[in-house]
Amino acid sequence: MIGRLSLILVFVPLTSAFQCALDSKVTGNHFVKDTTPIPLAERPRLFDWVNFKSDSEAQSYYGKHPERRPGQNIGPYHTWFYLFGQITSIQPTALISAAVHSGEKFFKAMVNCKLSTYTVSSHHGVFRKGKLIKGCEKGDFDLVFKITQRNAGFFMFNGMLLDDKIIKRFRTEEANEYLRTDYTPMRFTEALTYTAKLVGGGGKLDRVSIGKCVAYPSSLKKCNEINDYISERTITPTRPVSLYNVGYTRKCWEGNGEYFHFVDDTIHGDVESIGRPYCCCINMRTGEISTSQRPYYQPNRQGKMEIAGYTEERCVKRKTYRLIEPCPFRCQDQWDQDIFNNFPRKNDPHANIHS
């Protein structure tokens, strides 16, 4: 029996996962992570489903009792479990499954490629079942589980919600309605074991990523391809329940959508960045966050930008700056002159510092 693991959240290269606590290749077609290292970070909203009726009530209580504010062990709120792989045959017979376990309790999804069906079940029995819209098409696939609350979550396969029951809820403090999936038979309040498996022919597993993060298949390298993938899994009026809210796509170099902009001030890497995004220095070819030391620019008395020092930070949250202010650095170390020469972007406010 593997003991419980503790994990400190760190930035990882933004090639196929952004701020995922775990990003691991799968050897063979079976993956088990005993006591998954779920990042237990404080929720950006203080709503406590047990003790408070609204966010405002929680805010008032913790304002009077700051010493009782929740710390780092309040449950895996908004955590994604990504399973990536490939369908290698036109007529696959693969059974693809992923599950989270806590003792004897579990919540599991199974996709039957041969029959183009899915089944979501728990320790109480079948929870949901139905037909796949597109089936298992040749190429990349993803089976993703998202925990939205302590007792709510859903599976998606290639962007399709594996749940045919959407319920309407009402936010009292905001006086508006919203749609979501129903409560699950299992509460996700403890450390979980995550398992994934593929049996049968015509498919293989590739990678597992877990955390409060955005991840995508390793085969996606171009900025516009990544954005298409994320957009297909973003909430819209006709898709009210999905993996992401609006604002999780990348900022591409406008001269050519294949490359990344070297200053990205639109990144929403995880649920903690709800509201104002991050501002990051980005490698234009790979999309990775810069890790090297770079100049930090500030305006002088004449309003001209000049070096005020150096920093090793890779990102800053824009919540520390007013929205009208630019990013606090210019990211020279990520400037790629060859890309600019081949695909110039006119009137780029960042480009003139390199001329």
Side-chain angles (χ1 to χ4, degrees):
M1 178 69 179
I2 300 176
R4 292 198 169 194
L5 302 176
S6 61
L7 189 79
I8 299 175
L9 273 176
V10 296
F11 283 100
V12 296
L14 192 71
T15 51
S16 54
F18 182 34
Q19 284 193 319
C20 284
L22 172 73
D23 193 23
S24 176
K25 293 287 292 183
V26 177
T27 302
N29 284 330
H30 189 206
F31 181 89
V32 178
K33 190 66 177 179
D34 251 344
T35 312
T36 303
I38 298 172
L40 303 177
E42 184 175 350
R43 291 189 295 268
R45 299 172 59 170
L46 295 178
F47 187 87
D48 188 305
W49 289 274
V50 178
N51 299 316
F52 302 107
K53 297 180 181 179
S54 67
D55 281 5
S56 58
E57 184 177 327
Q59 290 275 11
S60 175
Y61 177 84
Y62 289 123
K64 297 176 182 178
H65 306 282
E67 75 283 357
R68 300 178 186 177
R69 184 184 297 273
Q72 296 299 310
N73 296 302
I74 60 173
Y77 173 77
H78 274 226
T79 299
W80 285 260
F81 297 74
Y82 298 91
L83 173 64
F84 298 104
Q86 290 83 39
I87 299 299
T88 58
S89 171
I90 298 178
Q91 294 181 324
T93 61
L95 293 173
I96 307 166
S97 63
V100 289
H101 307 258
S102 179
E104 298 298 320
K105 300 178 181 179
F106 68 90
F107 196 58
K108 175 181 179 180
M110 176 173 287
V111 172
N112 188 321
C113 288
K114 183 177 181 179
L115 302 178
S116 291
T117 60
Y118 71 85
T119 303
V120 179
S121 58
S122 75
H123 48 284
H124 291 303
V126 175
F127 181 67
R128 298 285 188 268
K129 61 181 180 179
K131 292 283 292 184
L132 297 175
I133 296 176
K134 294 183 179 180
C136 298
E137 299 180 344
K138 190 174 182 179
D140 290 324
F141 75 80
D142 59 83
L143 178 57
V144 186
F145 177 57
K146 179 182 179 181
I147 296 176
T148 56
Q149 294 183 7
R150 294 182 180 185
N151 56 344
F154 57 84
F155 283 95
M156 294 192 78
F157 179 73
N158 288 346
M160 176 187 170
L161 180 66
L162 304 188
D163 196 330
D164 58 356
K165 184 178 180 181
I166 304 297
I167 64 174
K168 184 178 292 185
R169 305 292 292 176
F170 186 78
R171 293 187 179 98
T172 304
E173 67 274 19
E174 300 175 12
N176 69 326
E177 294 180 337
Y178 68 101
L179 300 176
R180 46 153 286 184
T181 54
D182 204 353
Y183 293 113
T184 60
M186 177 178 174
R187 290 175 62 88
F188 311 107
T189 55
E190 301 176 359
L192 302 172
T193 298
Y194 176 78
T195 62
K197 183 185 296 187
L198 186 149
V199 297
K204 63 179 181 178
L205 300 185
D206 176 48
R207 201 174 95 250
V208 168
S209 301
I210 301 174
K212 296 173 180 290
C213 56
V214 177
Y216 36 86
S218 303
S219 62
L220 299 184
K221 307 295 184 183
K222 300 177 181 179
C223 185
N224 49 11
E225 292 178 344
I226 293 169
N227 282 348
D228 289 343
Y229 177 88
I230 295 174
S231 296
E232 291 173 355
R233 290 153 180 79
T234 296
I235 291 175
T236 66
T238 58
R239 188 171 52 230
V241 178
S242 198
L243 296 180
Y244 313 116
N245 293 322
V246 175
Y248 282 73
T249 52
R250 303 298 309 280
K251 187 176 182 180
C252 301
W253 178 251
E254 292 183 6
N256 184 300
E258 296 183 5
Y259 298 103
F260 301 83
H261 199 286
F262 62 99
V263 182
D264 195 335
D265 55 2
T266 64
I267 284 183
H268 284 269
D270 59 19
V271 74
E272 312 302 341
S273 67
I274 286 177
R276 299 180 184 180
Y278 287 96
C279 180
C280 301
C281 291
I282 302 296
N283 184 297
M284 296 181 72
R285 295 181 182 272
T286 67
E288 293 182 4
I289 298 172
S290 169
T291 59
S292 60
Q293 190 180 66
R294 62 178 187 280
Y296 182 93
Y297 278 71
Q298 287 182 342
N300 58 20
R301 292 183 178 181
Q302 289 75 38
K304 183 179 180 180
M305 299 297 289
E306 63 181 18
I307 295 176
Y310 291 84
T311 177
E312 291 184 352
E313 292 180 353
R314 291 165 285 183
C315 292
V316 295
K317 288 189 177 182
R318 296 301 299 279
K319 70 180 181 180
T320 59
Y321 301 91
R322 294 192 298 273
L323 289 178
I324 61 173
E325 292 183 347
C327 290
F329 33 70
R330 294 291 181 133
C331 307
Q332 284 96 326
D333 62 325
Q334 297 307 306
W335 172 254
D336 194 314
Q337 186 66 41
D338 290 338
I339 293 177
F340 181 75
N341 291 340
N342 294 325
F343 307 103
R345 177 187 173 191
K346 297 180 180 179
N347 302 319
D348 189 332
H350 300 282
N352 56 17
I353 63 173
H354 303 284
S355 58

